[in-house]
Amino acid sequence: MKSRRRSRQKWWMVTVGCVAAALPLCLSASGVASAGGTRPPRPPTPTINADYLYNELYTMSKAFSYRISGADGDPKNADDVFNLPPTVNGWQELFAYWKANLTNTRVNTSLASFATVTDHYFRRTGGYRFDSDDAEVTIPGATCAGQRVLLAAHPDETPVPNDIVGEINSGTTSGTTGFGAARREITDSNLGNEGAYDGLSGVALTMAEYNALLDWYHANGTYPKRTLKVTLLDASRGKTGDGLFGREGSAYYADNLIPSGPQGQYVLFANMDSLGLDYPAYHLGTEFFWNNITGGGVGPWSTFVKATPTAPNSAYPNKGSGSPGANITANAPAIGQLRTDLQAAIQEGFQQQGTKYNFSVPLENPLRYNQNGQAPNPYSGVAPVKPAYSAADQAQYSPVRDDADGLEDEQAFFDKGIPGFTVSGVKNSNSDENPYGASVSSTTKATPIIGYAGNQTTFQLGNSTPQPGMTTTVAPAAAGDTTVKVADVTNLAAGEPIFIGSGADIEYGQIQSVGTAGTTGTGVTLTAPLSGAHPSGVAFNVNENQPVGYLSDSIEHLNYFAGGAPHGLTPQQPTEELKRALELPAQWTSLLLTGDDYLGTTAQPDKPVAYFETTPAKPDSTLTVTFDAGFSRDAKGSSHGLKYYWDFGDGTHAVGERVTHTYHSAVHADVKLAVGKGNNWGLYRQAVAVGNPAGAAPSTSPCGTFSPSESAHLISAANKGRYQR
C-alpha cells in the first residue's frame, strides 16, 4: 500500500532554466536573485511567484496528456510494458515530475530537503488492472508535528469506459481486442484534452503555494510548527455509473490514512480544484460576452469557495453519532475559526493583489460571441482597463459559502468534521457563473455556458467542432421518473452518462434508450429513476467524459476563455487575465496556511526533527504495525547519521529507522520516538490504536510533545540503547 522515496533521490524530469531575455541576472524558481545584488528584505508574508505557477501549468499541460488513473501500467514499475507514452496517458510521468519538483532544493529552497515522498497505492473500483496512487509529500512540523495541514488537488483526467477497461485487462497487446485497441480509444476519445483547467490548474496552484511557503520560511529563517502535507488525490474522475464524481482517492485517503488517536489529525484541508476561469478573469476577455446591453454589464467569472459548513445541511446531515453533521457539530469551534481566518485571508489577498496591480485588470482581447452585442467591432487594439480587487468585488465574486452539494474531493474530509475549503472556478452553468444584468432577457440568461466552458469544462471552439449531445428538458420530471422529455437528441445515445440541471440541483444518470421525436419532445429513458425533480427547460447534456467528439481542455483554450487570446507574446506566456485568475486564490491560500492555527511559524530547527507514521495508518484489524521514522531529519534537513530509539508503549523497545512490532493484544499504544545526532535529540509520540481497542486513547498532547520529565526519561533511555542507522 505504501512506499517511500527520500527527497535526496534524483528524478529525471526536473529542469530549472531561464528565459532568454534582456535581464540583468537570472532568477531562480523561487524568485530570489541567484547571482549578484543584495538579498531583499525579509518578506512579511508569502508571495506567489505567478511566473512559476504558470510555467508549471504550461509544462505539465504540454507534457502529460489525459492522465487516466489505473490505466497506465504498474505505478511501481515505470518500465512496465503497459506504461503508455505521456502523450497518450501521462499519469505515471506526471506523478514522477510532481515528486521531483517538490523535493528539489533548487526549485523550493533548502527546506525541500525536509520533504519525504510517500505513495499510498489503492485499486479503484470498476475492473481497473493497475493501482492508483494518493501520492504525498510531507514536511514534519518542528514543534507540533502531530497536527497536520493538507494541501490537495486531483491529478487525473477522463475515466475510461467499461469496454476500454476490458481491453486493458485482457492480457494481450492486440490492436483489435487488447491493450493496443484501448490505447487507440483513449487517444481518440481525448484528442487535445490536456486537462489544463480540469485538474492541472489545481495541481499547479498547490505547487506554487508550496513554493511560496518554503521560500518565505527560508527567507525569514523560520520553519512550520505543524506538519505540511501536499497530496495528489487520485482517481477523482471515477468510472462510475454517472461517469463522474467517483472521488475514490479522497475517500481512500480520508478513510484509511488519518490515524484514530489524538495525533495525526488535520487542522486544515485546502483543496485546489479547477482554476483559471474565475475572478478576476472576464468571459473571453470582455464584459460584453453573451450580452447585448449597451455599455456592457457582464462581470468577471465567479470564484467558488466552498467551506466546511458551520452547521449540518442536506449534503452533511446529522444522523447521529459519527454522521457527517454530528462530526461538524462536534468540531464547530475549529470550523468557525477557520471560516473567520479564511475570510480574513481572502480579504488580505485581494488587498495585496490590488496594491500590486493598481486595483485594475486589463481586458486584453475583447471578443464577441457570434458578433452579437456591443463589444468593440473592430477591436481598436487598446485593451480597456477595469477596476478590480475591491472589497465589493470580493463579496460578489469570491464569497465564502457553506458547501451545500459535496460534489468535490472535500466531501470525504468535511464528512469527518475537518475544517477546510475547496476553491474552483466555473463548473456547472447557473446564474452564479453566468452573471447577467437584471435587464437581460431570460432567453439570453438561459444560454448554457456548458457548451463552451461548462460541466467539468468542455472547451470547444471553432466551426463544426464535434460536440457531445447538449439539449434541454421540455417537460417537468419528477423524482422517481425514468423517462425525461428533451428538445433534441443530437449526439444522444444509449449507454452515455448524462447530467440534468445545474449547480446544486445537478443530477447524474445514464441513458438506457432514446425514443423518437414527437410534438412534445423526445423521450429519453434512463437506467435508474431520478432522485430529484427537475423543471422544464433545464440542461440535459452528455457528460464530457465520453468518446464523443473531440474535447480540448488545452492551455491555449484556458488562456482564450480567461483573456480572449490563446496566450501572451509567446506560447509559454499567459494572458494577463489567466495569470491573475490563478495568482489570486493561490495568494490568499498561502496567507491562510501560515496562520498560527495552521502551519504557523517557529525558528528553524537546531536539533533533529522527529516524526513517524505507521503502516497501516489505522491498524484496526491487525496487531502488527510497521513504524517509519524516515520522515525525520537533522537540523540541516539530512537523514544521514541519524540514530533512532523506539518505545512501543508496551514495555518493549527497538532501534532503527523502520521497524515492525507485533502487540500481544488490542491496545492504545503510546509510541515514543527519539531521533538523535551527536548529543542532540528530537522527540515525537503518537497514540496508536492497535487492533481496535476499547476505551479512550491516552491523554497526550495532539502535537505529540512531552513534558520535561518525560523528555529526560526518553533521552536517557535512548542514550543507553544501541542504535541502527
Side-chain angles (χ1 to χ4, degrees), residues 678-712:
N679 295 322
N680 293 317
W681 292 91
L683 309 178
Y684 177 65
R685 77 194 318 164
Q686 181 175 319
V688 182
V690 181
N692 195 24
S699 180
T700 53
S701 166
C703 289
T705 54
F706 298 76
S707 68
S709 61
E710 290 175 319
S711 298

Side-chain angles (χ1 to χ4, degrees), residues 493-523:
E496 291 174 334
I498 52 87
F499 58 89
I500 306 170
S502 65
D505 297 325
I506 200 165
E507 180 173 353
Y508 293 82
Q510 190 172 20
I511 296 176
Q512 179 172 300
S513 61
V514 179
T516 56
T519 57
T520 58
T522 301

Side-chain angles (χ1 to χ4, degrees), residues 172-196:
T172 172
T173 57
S174 165
T176 304
T177 60
F179 197 69
R183 171 176 170 170
R184 182 184 66 253
E185 291 182 60
I186 290 171
T187 304
D188 288 346
S189 67
N190 287 277
L191 187 64
N193 189 359
E194 300 169 357

Side-chain angles (χ1 to χ4, degrees), residues 389-410:
Y389 304 108
S390 69
D393 281 357
Q394 185 274 310
Q396 180 173 358
Y397 297 112
S398 299
V400 179
R401 319 173 189 219
D402 280 354
D403 183 16
D405 50 37
L407 291 178
E408 312 298 339
D409 286 309
E410 78 276 352

Side-chain angles (χ1 to χ4, degrees), residues 363-408:
L363 309 190
E364 296 163 276
N365 190 23
L367 299 176
R368 304 192 310 172
Y369 176 63
N370 287 347
Q371 296 297 301
N372 295 322
Q374 302 298 320
N377 186 18
Y379 173 47
S380 68
V382 178
V385 175
K386 295 294 179 182
Y389 304 108
S390 69
D393 281 357
Q394 185 274 310
Q396 180 173 358
Y397 297 112
S398 299
V400 179
R401 319 173 189 219
D402 280 354
D403 183 16
D405 50 37
L407 291 178
E408 312 298 339

